[in-house]
């Protein structure tokens, strides 16, 4: 099964993708996480994308599609039964490239879930968001802080604010979302595979809504 989660930064896509991995056994393909990991490891690709990430701009499509293709090859090799995409595709040409990559595997996107969220909630989530610099676990300074101040509960890594969670970069990313990513809902909508869930709810309730949507269509 191949699922795309669409929502602005702070809508909880990454957290929900982690939960779907646990409940459905699919692979999470989060391009943002993959880029941050490359950067943390100091690879050539990581150095190439560092400035782009900090500015909240989009990494070029060919680079992004190549990193996704690598993950799809792992699925070909039996690593998982499908994928949940988080932060990809982000524009029409990425969506078309993904369709082509899946068609070549006799597969297709089955569900697109739009996580809808109010601006008020979004700003609260983004300004309080902290992430583990080693494993990518996500925390919130008020709602779900790590047990020990800035130390990751999961791996012991250091929990920090993302470099692109500054007001300027957040604004830029939200503008890109509205201009180039949101229109993907029309692209997929024509196939009748888009569902909307209320992202203002607590994480557990959002997860339940997503699972309901997936089950409702999985006949
Ligand atoms: P995210 O964690 O999804 O918010 O992504 C963090 C940053 O990684 C974005 O602001 C972009 O700079 C880059 N990025 C992630 N996914 C993509 C994508 N599909 N296309 C281009 N750039 C991306």
């Amino acid at each position: 099964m191949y699922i795309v989660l669409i929502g602005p930064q702070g809508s909880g896509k990454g957290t929900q993708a982690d939960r779907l991995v646990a409940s459905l056994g699919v692979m999470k393909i989060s391009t943002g996480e993959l880029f941050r990991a490359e950067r943390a490891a100091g690879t050539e690709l990581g150095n190439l994308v560092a400035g782009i990430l900090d500015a909240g701009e989009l990494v070029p499509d060919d680079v992004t599609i190549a990193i996704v293709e690598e993950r799809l090859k792992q699925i070909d090799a039996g690593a998982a039964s499908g994928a949940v995409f988080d932060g990809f595709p982000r524009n029409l040409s990425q969506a078309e490239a993904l369709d082509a990559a899946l068609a070549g595997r006799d597969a297709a996107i089955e569900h697109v879930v739009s996580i809808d969220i109010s601006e008020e909630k979004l700003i609260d989530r983004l300004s309080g968001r902290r992430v583990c610099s080693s494993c990518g676990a996500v925390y919130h300074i008020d709602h779900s802080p790590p047990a020990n101040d800035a130390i990751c509960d999961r791996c012991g890594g250091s929990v920090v604010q993302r470099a692109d969670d500054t007001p300027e970069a957040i604004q830029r990313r939200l503008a890109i979302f509205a201009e180039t990513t949101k229109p993907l809902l029309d692209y997929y909508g024509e196939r009748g595979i888009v569902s909307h869930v209320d992202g203002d709810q607590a994480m557990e309730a959002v997860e339940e809504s997503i699972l309901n949507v997936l089950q409702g269509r999985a006949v």
Side-chain angles (χ1 to χ4, degrees), residues 35-81:
F35 289 138
R36 282 190 290 279
E38 292 284 337
R39 180 193 193 163
T43 65
E44 197 179 326
L45 173 61
N47 294 336
L48 179 83
V49 301
I52 301 175
L53 260 57
D54 286 349
E57 297 293 340
L58 291 187
V59 172
D61 287 343
D62 54 343
V63 176
T64 306
I65 290 160
I67 206 168
V68 169
E69 183 66 40
E70 259 175 51
R71 292 280 143 158
L72 291 177
K73 283 186 187 144
Q74 293 176 6
I75 295 176
D76 295 342
S81 58

Side-chain angles (χ1 to χ4, degrees), residues 7 28 33 45 61 80 108 120 128 170 184 217:
K28 176 187 185 183
E33 247 172 44
L45 173 61
D61 287 343
E120 192 188 334
I170 288 171
L184 293 182
R217 291 172 182 272

Side-chain angles (χ1 to χ4, degrees), residues 168-190:
E168 298 75 29
I170 288 171
Q171 221 170 19
R172 182 67 194 130
R173 285 149 68 216
L174 292 179
I176 293 176
F177 176 75
E179 282 159 26
T180 69
T181 308
K182 221 171 170 196
L184 293 182
L185 293 176
D186 293 331
Y187 175 77
Y188 290 119
E190 283 174 13

Side-chain angles (χ1 to χ4, degrees), residues 99-156:
D99 279 343
L102 292 180
R105 294 169 162 88
D106 276 334
I109 301 293
E110 283 164 63
H111 302 281
V112 175
V113 181
S114 169
I115 304 181
D116 304 330
I117 182 165
S118 64
E119 200 169 312
E120 192 188 334
K121 197 90 183 174
L122 206 66
I123 287 164
D124 170 62
R125 292 239 183 106
L126 289 173
S127 55
R129 176 159 74 177
R130 299 291 182 272
V131 294
C132 172
S133 52
S134 301
C135 75
V138 180
Y139 299 92
H140 187 284
I141 43 172
D142 301 322
H143 314 313
S144 55
N148 280 321
D149 207 18
I151 299 173
C152 179
D153 295 344
R154 207 198 279 174
C155 78

Side-chain angles (χ1 to χ4, degrees), residues 72-94:
L72 291 177
K73 283 186 187 144
Q74 293 176 6
I75 295 176
D76 295 342
S81 58
V84 53
F85 294 96
D86 158 29
F88 179 88
R90 250 176 161 95
N91 59 30
L92 193 57
S93 63
Q94 292 182 8

